[in-house]
Amino acid sequence: EVQIKFAPAPEPPRKIGPQAFPPEALEQKDKKQKKEKKEHKRHASMAGPAAVREVMLCSASAFKDKSRPFGIELDGALVVDLADEGVAIPAGIQIGWRILEVDGKAVPEEEVGKATKVLREAEEKMANRSGKASVSVSFLTEEPDHWKQAAKALSGRR
């Protein structure tokens, strides 16, 4: 006598369809991913994850020293000094940060005077509006590896 057992039919593979997100949300997500990818490529030479901070600067008038927009002294795009009477210190900007963008425009890292010029132009444009506008500045706040190593070496000598 032969017994035939029928096994239940296997479930067909599930099809995964589009997520229930509105098109605007998907577009925003794509833009954000592209921006993050671009930012990551730009800072690939820096060790560790890039810590980027956006600061909004606003003042009723341009800083008195044209070579130090908002009271920020730069070497290339690197912040090397801050004026006590400028708006940079109250905004939380710190020495060692590197300017990446001013009002969404990329700033070259090493081109002498370019970052200062771009920041000064944005400051003057804001001042012409009597401080009713602000300037968005993106900074790389992560210290490079060689700075961290030097700081460790110095702290070991004390």
Side-chain angles (χ1 to χ4, degrees):
E1 184 175 329
V2 178
Q3 291 185 349
I4 300 176
K5 293 186 178 180
F6 292 99
E11 279 189 39
R14 294 184 184 192
K15 293 182 181 177
I16 300 174
Q19 299 289 326
F21 292 114
E24 305 85 43
L26 293 174
E27 287 173 13
Q28 287 175 347
K29 183 180 176 185
D30 288 343
K31 284 180 185 177
K32 184 178 177 183
Q33 286 176 342
K34 285 179 184 177
K35 184 177 180 182
E36 286 171 357
K37 191 180 254 186
K38 182 179 174 184
E39 211 168 87
H40 179 71
K41 281 183 182 178
R42 183 176 172 159
H43 308 299
S45 63
M46 302 298 288
V52 177
R53 181 169 177 194
E54 186 175 343
V55 178
M56 299 302 283
L57 297 172
C58 185
S59 177
S61 61
F63 191 68
K64 62 187 174 198
D65 183 352
K66 291 187 180 208
S67 67
R68 299 171 75 175
F70 295 104
I72 302 171
E73 185 175 338
L74 300 169
D75 180 8
L78 181 69
V79 177
V80 294
D81 196 17
L82 300 169
D84 292 333
E85 58 276 1
V87 297
I89 292 174
I93 296 169
Q94 296 180 17
I95 293 172
W97 287 9
R98 184 174 301 277
I99 295 178
L100 301 175
E101 294 179 343
V102 176
D103 282 337
K105 296 175 188 166
V107 174
E109 281 185 42
E110 301 301 327
E111 196 173 323
V112 178
K114 184 67 175 175
T116 301
K117 182 180 177 188
V118 170
L119 193 57
R120 183 63 182 188
E121 287 171 357
E123 180 186 41
E124 287 174 348
K125 190 176 182 182
M126 177 212 57
N128 289 339
R129 295 182 182 154
S130 302
K132 293 179 181 170
S134 59
V135 176
S136 169
V137 184
S138 294
F139 291 91
L140 179 67
T141 62
E142 180 72 16
E143 293 179 349
D145 261 357
H146 64 278
W147 285 22
K148 292 177 185 177
Q149 291 169 355
K152 282 181 185 178
L154 288 173
S155 66
R157 292 182 185 175
R158 293 181 187 184

